[in-house]
Amino acid sequence: MAVTTAPALDAHRLRADFAVFDEIVDGRPVAYLDSASSTQKPRQVLDRMRHFYEHEYANVHRGVYRLAERATEGYESARRTVAAFVNAPSEREVIFTRSTTEALNLVAYAWGLDNLGPGDVVVVSELEHHANFVPWQYVASRTGASFRHIPIDDAGELQLEALETLAGEGTIKVVATGLISNSLGTINPVERIAAWAHEQGAIMVVDAAQAAPHRAVDVQALGCDFLAFSSHKLCGPSGVGALWGRRDLLEAMSPFNLGGEMIRSVGLDRTTFNELPYKFEAGTPAIAEAVGFGAAVDYVSAVGLEAIERHEHEITVYAMGRLGELGFVRLFGPPVERRAGIISFAVEGVHPHDVAQVLDWEGVAVRAGHHCTQPLMARLGVAATTRASFYLYSLPEEVDRLVDGLHKVKRSLG
């Protein structure tokens, strides 16, 4: 099988922005097929962060001197960039967090503890990453709410016909799903689920960690109430993520962490809290990381999300075709037209960790494990899978190296 349509995106040219691809290991560059875990960083992002640290750095929202004002402007400019990226109605609805995980915990704790109780139902999906599963499971147990899930079929797609059954089990208060599965690449029909959630009077929480870096995400078009994603999966630094939330919900919520800029005034008997978005940003934030996050959004936007999505689709079509030729490889997940650039698979008779180890010796970097989706692994009947995932810099030649490496895995361990 060969790529039949020329990518609209020039991945070879873009790779010149990433110094990591100049690295030679055992005489060849690494074939990095683990972008669902974390992406590589272009020079444009690293240069922006270095310039900020060298010429603009100070703490934000505190000093009245010019350097502090410049740092604050850099930080708030990044917030405006992130807000525009997801078509948020207001930049005040964008909270900088440490990660997608922290953003989802923020919603679970700050909204869930005040709004859930016995008789209420929290609904997640069987596909969820633990970050969008465990916080809701925990908060449900703390409040006496029921915790239910949307099951999947054998192809790894949500069985939406189960929604009506779930609606009969109590008052649906929260529906939380990912836009794209980090393990299988399944693209979930979030707009449809959000419409159903609102019919029930529930809020809709979306984990967009695997979607926002790869395709256009519009919080207003999705019809969600909260959406979370991370910088480090989007060519940006680790240690910073974003939560978008509907303003009326954020304003009604209790604080998540206490201290620093989130405070308006403190008395011996009472403390009042700051306005959005600062109400949810306690302590000194990850300032340079937020600036780098903004630079990463600029970089990805300049490449073009439509071009990225098309490129990843073509790589995924090619990869599934090549892997499908191997009689000893089992592929998990839906057909290619309903999945993003993530492929989980198993090699007959070989543990996924051993598969990944042999591939590493061939210079191919993939992920092996349960991918923080243990309920999904149980549904699939496996303890773990090997996962290849793609991004704007991925090449068909790297897929060929993956396939060559799998032949060696089979010959040596199968």
Side-chain angles (χ1 to χ4, degrees), residues 18 37-42 44-46 49 213 230-241 288-300 391-393:
F18 297 81
S37 177
S38 196
T39 59
Q40 298 298 332
K41 319 305 176 190
Q44 291 86 339
V45 171
L46 302 176
M49 293 179 69
S230 290
S231 160
H232 75 98
K233 296 181 191 292
L234 196 149
C235 291
S238 56
V240 63
E289 287 77 7
V291 170
F293 190 2
V297 169
D298 285 339
Y299 180 84
V300 168
Y391 202 28
L392 52 88
Y393 40 64

Side-chain angles (χ1 to χ4, degrees), residues 105-143:
N105 272 272
L106 190 163
V107 180
Y109 278 85
W111 189 91
L113 289 179
D114 286 345
N115 291 281
L116 294 173
D120 295 333
V121 180
V122 176
V123 176
V124 301
S125 89
E126 201 169 17
L127 283 171
E128 294 312 302
H129 187 281
H130 291 166
N132 202 29
F133 191 100
V134 176
W136 294 112
Q137 186 184 57
Y138 182 71
V139 169
S141 71
R142 287 272 304 271
T143 59

Side-chain angles (χ1 to χ4, degrees), residues 95 97 101-116 135-136 138-140 142-143 174 203 205 226 243 248-258 262 273 276 279-281:
I95 315 297
T97 63
T101 297
E102 185 178 77
L104 294 168
N105 272 272
L106 190 163
V107 180
Y109 278 85
W111 189 91
L113 289 179
D114 286 345
N115 291 281
L116 294 173
W136 294 112
Y138 182 71
V139 169
R142 287 272 304 271
T143 59
V174 179
I203 63 166
V205 182
F226 294 97
L243 171 69
D248 59 325
L249 294 173
L250 290 171
E251 287 180 337
M253 285 161 54
S254 300
F256 179 50
N257 290 315
L258 305 175
M262 61 78 62
F273 304 114
L276 296 176
K279 172 181 167 183
F280 293 105
E281 294 182 358

Side-chain angles (χ1 to χ4, degrees), residues 17-346:
D17 294 334
F18 297 81
V20 69
F21 295 120
D22 296 332
E23 295 292 321
I24 301 298
V25 179
D26 294 334
R28 56 197 161 189
V30 65
Y32 187 75
L33 301 180
D34 194 23
S35 289
S37 177
S38 196
T39 59
Q40 298 298 332
K41 319 305 176 190
R43 291 186 175 88
Q44 291 86 339
V45 171
L46 302 176
D47 289 348
R48 179 67 186 100
M49 293 179 69
R50 182 166 50 250
H51 182 86
F52 181 80
Y53 268 128
E54 291 179 346
H55 302 287
E56 302 174 32
Y57 182 78
N59 212 329
V60 294
H61 304 138
R62 290 167 173 78
V64 296
Y65 50 91
R66 279 169 287 182
L67 192 59
E69 291 173 353
R70 198 184 305 170
T72 299
E73 171 53 26
Y75 183 76
E76 292 302 327
S77 175
R79 192 191 311 276
R80 291 192 292 273
T81 299
V82 171
F85 186 62
V86 295
N87 195 29
S90 168
E91 69 217 46
R92 289 180 175 273
E93 297 174 333
V94 172
I95 315 297
F96 282 129
T97 63
R98 288 187 302 162
S99 59
T100 302
T101 297
E102 185 178 77
L104 294 168
N105 272 272
L106 190 163
V107 180
Y109 278 85
W111 189 91
L113 289 179
D114 286 345
N115 291 281
L116 294 173
D120 295 333
V121 180
V122 176
V123 176
V124 301
S125 89
E126 201 169 17
L127 283 171
E128 294 312 302
H129 187 281
H130 291 166
N132 202 29
F133 191 100
V134 176
W136 294 112
Q137 186 184 57
Y138 182 71
V139 169
S141 71
R142 287 272 304 271
T143 59
S146 299
F147 181 74
R148 297 288 184 266
H149 70 271
I150 307 170
I152 59 172
D153 60 21
D154 291 340
E157 298 185 275
L158 299 182
Q159 293 183 295
L160 297 185
E161 59 271 23
L163 293 178
E164 293 312 312
T165 301
L166 292 169
E169 297 189 7
T171 303
I172 308 294
K173 296 292 285 291
V174 179
V175 181
T177 67
L179 187 45
I180 290 174
S181 161
N182 73 305
S183 288
L184 301 181
T186 309
I187 301 170
N188 291 324
V190 165
E191 297 95 330
R192 182 176 168 189
I193 300 171
W196 176 82
H198 292 153
E199 288 173 4
Q200 309 305 311
I203 63 166
M204 181 74 204
V205 182
V206 177
D207 174 356
Q210 299 295 341
H214 305 278
R215 56 188 57 218
V217 170
D218 182 330
V219 296
Q220 299 184 64
L222 285 174
C224 58
D225 299 292
F226 294 97
L227 182 136
F229 62 108
S230 290
S231 160
H232 75 98
K233 296 181 191 292
L234 196 149
C235 291
S238 56
V240 63
L243 171 69
W244 169 82
R246 250 179 48 204
R247 187 167 185 162
D248 59 325
L249 294 173
L250 290 171
E251 287 180 337
M253 285 161 54
S254 300
F256 179 50
N257 290 315
L258 305 175
E261 186 64 17
M262 61 78 62
I263 291 170
R264 173 169 290 162
S265 67
V266 179
L268 288 176
D269 300 317
R270 184 170 179 269
T271 296
T272 61
F273 304 114
N274 208 340
E275 62 185 5
L276 296 176
Y278 315 114
K279 172 181 167 183
F280 293 105
E281 294 182 358
T284 296
I287 306 169
E289 287 77 7
V291 170
F293 190 2
V297 169
D298 285 339
Y299 180 84
V300 168
S301 298
V303 173
L305 286 162
E306 288 186 6
I308 292 171
E309 182 180 352
R310 177 182 174 187
H311 173 73
E312 291 176 5
H313 178 73
E314 291 177 349
I315 290 284
T316 306
V317 169
Y318 182 64
M320 290 189 69
R322 291 291 329 266
L323 293 170
E325 295 168 355
L326 306 178
F328 54 87
V329 169
R330 175 189 175 191
L331 300 179
F332 299 96
V336 70
E337 61 271 17
R338 295 196 296 278
R339 75 157 71 203
I342 295 172
I343 302 175
S344 270
F345 59 90

